[in-house]
Amino acid sequence: MIGYLTVSCVFFVLNHVDQKLLDLYNDFSLIVLFTVNLYYPLKSIVIINRNQFKTIEKPEYNAIARISHCILFMECGVIISKALLYLYPEESQLINISIRTVAYFLLLVICLIIVRKSLTTEISHFQKISSQHNFKIPINQHSDEEKPSLNTVDYEIKFSELWQKMDQSVRQKQLYRDCNLNLDQLALKTEINKYQISEMLNGYKHKPFYRYINEYRIEYFKNMVEKAIQENRNINFLSFAYEAGFKSKSSFNRYFKDIIGKTPSEYYKNLITINKQQTFEINI
């Protein structure tokens, strides 16, 4: 956008199209785009070969590798077109049409690779669910109460160790205190695939991501309030909520009421009453 705006302003000031300036801009743009389009595919292929991200599944590796090779092939087409235009300038129209045709074809191939990857993932997921469903329903039908237990056992086998790793990291490093924490960041900090985290939370623990994180934040808030009461310090609910990781007062009040069943002030009054009763009983 900056490049187009700059060139347009120059032509507007000059009041005519300067062919040399236009050629310079086109050449510069071509070099920049060529460099960027060359860097990212090569970087992707190097990362895949080194197998740095072990949490990425094999189909994703294959799709990224094929897309990268298509882009590199297009880059080769740019070099070939420049060479042919230099050698056969009289055939410039035919060369440009041929190169563009190849480029559009490769873009179509990239789109098909992405669609194929998506369909493969969906079919694989569907077959997995179907196989689990068939396994869980024998010839003699079981009651609805038995299905959740089988599902829980299945998830326990699959995610037990992985869940302990993630949950321990969240608790010990207090990751929940980051108000900007999201699923992608949690995956990065725990080195666990975000799709696995999502499946663990929704299928294994039956709770969405933000409820899981906010439960830890509320527990941290409760501990701060109890400690402040014991030390007879002033209590600022909003300050404690921000320290626990909440981003706004409204989200704090909403999640606190939803999880604890009381508003923060009601919880505080109830805690004060309990402490007074305990103090009275001790004095007696």
Side-chain angles (χ1 to χ4, degrees), residues 148-193:
S149 62
L150 287 171
N151 193 29
T152 303
V153 170
D154 197 39
Y155 275 115
E156 186 71 31
I157 295 171
K158 184 177 180 181
F159 289 128
S160 179
E161 293 183 4
L162 199 61
W163 173 263
Q164 289 179 8
K165 175 189 173 183
M166 187 194 75
D167 194 52
Q168 185 178 6
S169 181
V170 171
R171 284 186 285 105
Q172 291 182 349
K173 297 179 182 178
Q174 295 186 341
L175 300 179
Y176 52 86
R177 293 184 62 191
D178 180 2
C179 64
N180 295 315
L181 184 69
N182 55 33
L183 190 60
D184 290 320
Q185 291 176 344
L186 182 61
L188 185 64
K189 292 179 179 180
T190 58
E191 298 180 349
I192 300 174
N193 188 295

Side-chain angles (χ1 to χ4, degrees), residues 34-46:
F34 180 83
T35 304
V36 172
N37 288 343
L38 189 64
Y39 171 77
Y40 284 106
L42 289 175
K43 182 68 174 177
S44 299
I45 293 171
V46 169

Side-chain angles (χ1 to χ4, degrees), residues 115-138:
V115 171
R116 182 176 179 272
K117 166 65 181 64
S118 300
L119 290 175
T120 303
T121 303
E122 290 295 328
I123 293 171
S124 176
H125 182 66
F126 177 77
Q127 289 176 344
K128 182 180 178 181
I129 293 175
S130 299
S131 63
Q132 290 177 352
H133 183 72
N134 292 334
F135 172 77
K136 290 172 189 174
I137 302 179

